[in-house]
Amino acid sequence: MTVDKGIAPDQDRTARVYAALPEEHHYTIEQVDGALPKDLTGTLYRIGPGRHQVGKSLLHNIFDGDGMVSQFVLDGSSVRYRNRYVRTRHFEHGQRSDRIRYRGVGTQIPGGMLANVGRLPANVANTNIVNYDGGLLALWEMGNPHRIDPDSLETLGRFDFDGKLGFLGAFSAHPKWDPATGDMYNFGLDLLPTPRIRTYRVDRSGRLHTLATVPMLDLVWNHDFALTRRYLVFVLDPLLPDLTKIALASHSFIDSLRFDRRKGTRFLLVPKAGGRPRIIEHEALLHFHLTNAYDDGNDVVVELVRFDTRWSEVRRATNSVNSISADGPRFPDSRLMRYRITAGGTVIEQELADRSVEFPQYDWRLSTRRHRFSYLAGKGTRAAAVYDSIIKVDNETCATTLCEFPGGSVGEPLFVPRSRDAGEDDGWLLVLNHVLAEHRSQLVVLDARDVGRGPVATAWLEHHIPWGFHGTFSRRIARLEE
Ligand SMILES: [Fe+2]
């Protein structure tokens, strides 16, 4: 197969969303349509798999690409762009060799079971990037974070919170912050010696404290959680590993999971202050991401994006990278949902929007409290295989507002408040849009209050950014170090 910047010539344009960006760039963006808001200053960081390759060997699962950080520096009148790969062992090896030497989440080492048995997936640092202690952490949910310099994006090494996390310690990719204290909360899944969820609090000085460690009755895979004033809220779907496949390494990690609808989903509420966790049984759900959660009297309310399809289809969607199929990727149907868990253990379900969405965001100053507006990537009014719209949902009225990008592929919209004391929804949404026909990406600024109006400003990159996962915004303007 001929590969030109990762695009096979017989593939649909949609497949370009996963095309590699092997080069590392640093430049001031020249083409800006519209007017950049003068008070939108700071630095946007985004991360995702930048290339699904080891040398010239192609990888096929979206979770296995090398983590690449993009940095957009906004000073009120211009945008400077830089991208840099996280220097993981997997990345460094792929610079020297075409041989797949490390196992991935969806990738096996060639050579059958013997080549894979006893090997854990390699840490590719590709899932989220968050502010920590004046710098950045690139996160990957099955292992340690990597420290990243916020100015140069240089990789400063693996980080285990001064030994408290442990060498193999998992620090998941979706930490949450308590606005009342500034503490960061997170969890890690330990599979050995016995399966358990370990929960953490990282105080404002950066020290990591282990909270509860909750044994799991069944091994499950879990990606995200949410925070209320009282609880860490987990929604544990019945994604169970086939223990024979895991033990023999006969299949990749993701191909070793099965969705057992009979087992149902468990809401697990872990008290922040200690004490016994609550477990509430519910019918089987399938999801990756939560929006927010809050206490409402004695009830707990949590919002999430539920996939309305079979696990096999979700898994297939993750395995569509570098596919020779002309179909390209096809993101599954989903819905933004609310679950109210009463003190008596009843779960009340409500659909908040009738569109397929993912990457739910909101005003993070409202973490642990009721938020009114959610912002998501999703499918608009056209038949699209990937997300081509930013969708705002009013959680009180269930009204939706769309900003559509026909022929585009958008990712997670991050909300940035206009000022520190601006109200909810008074700010901007920062979105990456990949214009597939031109194979270039844009940084798009939307007014969150008027999403339907379209972009306030659009900064055109000279190239595309491969479809990525998550990001963060810092009010600090990254320095030019040269
Ligand atoms: Fe995620």
Side-chain angles (χ1 to χ4, degrees):
M1 183 166 63
T2 304
V3 175
D4 176 22
K5 289 177 102 177
I7 312 165
D10 58 343
Q11 279 180 309
D12 183 271
R13 268 184 193 154
T14 309
R16 292 182 175 181
V17 299
Y18 297 133
L21 179 65
E23 304 87 9
E24 293 185 320
H25 298 270
H26 187 199
Y27 58 93
T28 298
I29 295 177
E30 291 190 357
Q31 185 184 346
V32 179
D33 301 336
L36 290 163
K38 289 204 176 351
D39 39 1
L40 175 57
T41 59
T43 310
L44 170 69
Y45 299 96
R46 299 223 48 102
I47 198 167
R51 59 170 203 175
H52 299 86
Q53 290 170 238
V54 174
K56 295 191 183 71
S57 300
L58 301 179
L59 307 176
H60 301 285
N61 191 280
I62 57 171
F63 300 130
D64 291 338
D66 288 311
M68 186 194 85
V69 183
S70 285
Q71 173 200 62
F72 296 84
V73 185
L74 297 132
D75 64 5
S77 61
S78 68
V79 187
R80 197 170 78 239
Y81 176 78
R82 182 200 299 261
N83 71 307
R84 196 147 187 199
Y85 279 88
V86 185
R87 265 49 178 183
T88 62
R89 280 168 51 180
H90 187 269
F91 173 84
E92 299 285 11
H93 170 73
Q95 295 296 94
R96 300 187 302 266
S97 172
D98 298 330
R99 187 168 69 89
I100 296 175
R101 179 180 162 193
Y102 296 103
R103 204 175 178 202
V105 172
T107 302
Q108 293 282 81
I109 302 169
M113 291 188 287
L114 275 180
N116 290 277
V117 73
R119 291 175 181 259
L120 295 170
N123 185 341
V124 285
N126 66 7
T127 316
N128 202 354
I129 186 154
V130 298
N131 295 308
Y132 169 78
D133 195 24
L136 297 166
L137 296 179
L139 303 179
W140 180 78
E141 69 190 17
M142 295 174 77
N144 287 177
H146 284 73
R147 289 195 84 152
I148 305 292
D149 183 284
D151 297 320
S152 66
L153 300 186
E154 182 187 351
T155 302
L156 305 174
R158 237 175 16 83
F159 182 61
D160 64 1
F161 292 89
D162 302 322
K164 291 192 172 165
L165 200 56
F167 182 73
L168 286 176
F171 193 76
S172 287
H174 284 287
K176 299 292 183 305
W177 286 261
D178 185 338
T181 63
D183 289 347
M184 175 204 283
Y185 288 80
N186 201 3
F187 73 98
L189 285 184
D190 285 353
L191 297 185
L192 298 170
T194 54
R196 56 191 181 171
I197 293 181
R198 200 193 294 242
T199 58
Y200 302 111
R201 179 176 66 86
V202 179
D203 66 30
R204 293 184 68 163
S205 66
R207 279 197 299 270
L208 181 136
H209 309 267
T210 299
L211 301 174
T213 299
V214 183
M216 308 282 284
L217 299 176
D218 301 303
L219 278 162
V220 293
W221 177 44
N222 181 65
H223 179 66
D224 198 356
F225 80 111
L227 201 63
T228 76
R229 284 178 174 156
R230 290 182 296 166
Y231 295 111
L232 288 81
V233 180
F234 295 87
V235 184
L236 304 174
D237 300 338
L239 273 174
L240 311 176
D242 182 316
L243 292 176
T244 307
K245 289 178 181 172
I246 292 280
L248 295 176
S250 57
H251 295 68
S252 73
F253 178 79
I254 202 158
D255 287 338
S256 299
L257 295 177
R258 64 190 168 84
F259 185 73
D260 189 344
R261 189 168 294 280
R262 292 166 304 174
K263 291 226 179 239
T265 281
R266 292 191 184 105
F267 292 91
L268 171 67
L269 309 181
V270 180
K272 281 160 135 177
R276 278 175 64 110
R278 285 180 65 197
I279 296 175
I280 299 95
E281 307 276 351
H282 188 64
E283 65 181 15
L285 307 174
L286 183 58
H287 83 287
F288 285 161
H289 292 121
L290 283 67
T291 309
N292 188 18
Y294 50 90
D295 301 311
D296 188 12
N298 289 325
D299 295 353
V300 171
V301 179
V302 57
E303 293 175 4
L304 58 84
V305 171
R306 183 190 71 192
F307 290 119
D308 286 346
T309 187
R310 298 163 68 91
W311 165 243
S312 57
E313 191 181 329
V314 176
R315 190 183 59 193
R316 198 178 304 123
T318 75
N319 265 326
S320 60
V321 183
N322 290 316
S323 165
I324 57 170
S325 156
D327 292 342
R330 180 161 295 278
F331 295 168
D333 290 336
S334 55
R335 289 291 181 268
L336 180 64
M337 304 295 298
R338 173 184 291 154
Y339 295 88
R340 174 178 292 274
I341 304 160
T342 70
T346 302
V347 179
I348 302 164
E349 180 181 81
Q350 180 188 2
E351 182 179 302
L352 297 174
D354 62 350
R355 294 207 166 275
S356 283
V357 290
E358 243 292 21
F359 298 114
Q361 284 294 311
Y362 62 101
D363 183 338
W364 278 61
R365 296 172 301 172
L366 295 172
S367 285
T368 75
R369 291 189 284 147
R370 183 197 298 264
H371 68 288
R372 177 165 178 181
F373 298 103
S374 298
Y375 315 102
L376 309 102
K379 296 184 182 179
T381 57
R382 296 166 178 78
V386 295
Y387 303 130
D388 66 349
S389 299
I390 295 302
I391 299 174
K392 173 181 171 181
V393 179
D394 182 332
N395 295 331
E396 286 185 9
T397 65
C398 293
T400 57
T401 317
L402 271 68
C403 180
E404 301 193 71
F405 296 87
S409 165
V410 299
E412 174 186 80
L414 276 184
F415 175 80
V416 179
R418 195 171 306 271
S419 63
R420 282 187 200 285
D421 54 359
E424 183 183 8
D425 204 36
D426 184 8
W428 299 281
L429 297 177
L430 300 184
V431 180
L432 296 190
N433 176 37
H434 184 169
V435 182
L436 296 170
E438 298 196 31
H439 201 28
R440 288 171 70 191
S441 289
Q442 310 167 322
L443 171 64
V444 177
V445 181
L446 302 176
D447 184 335
R449 292 174 302 185
D450 194 3
V451 165
R453 183 182 126 199
V456 172
T458 304
W460 284 82
L461 276 71
E462 296 169 7
H463 47 82
H464 81 297
I465 297 177
W467 194 73
F469 298 131
H470 303 293
T472 195
F473 184 82
S474 167
R475 283 286 178 189
R476 177 183 177 275
I477 298 176
R479 284 193 293 264
L480 204 55
E481 76 284 358
E482 290 94 350

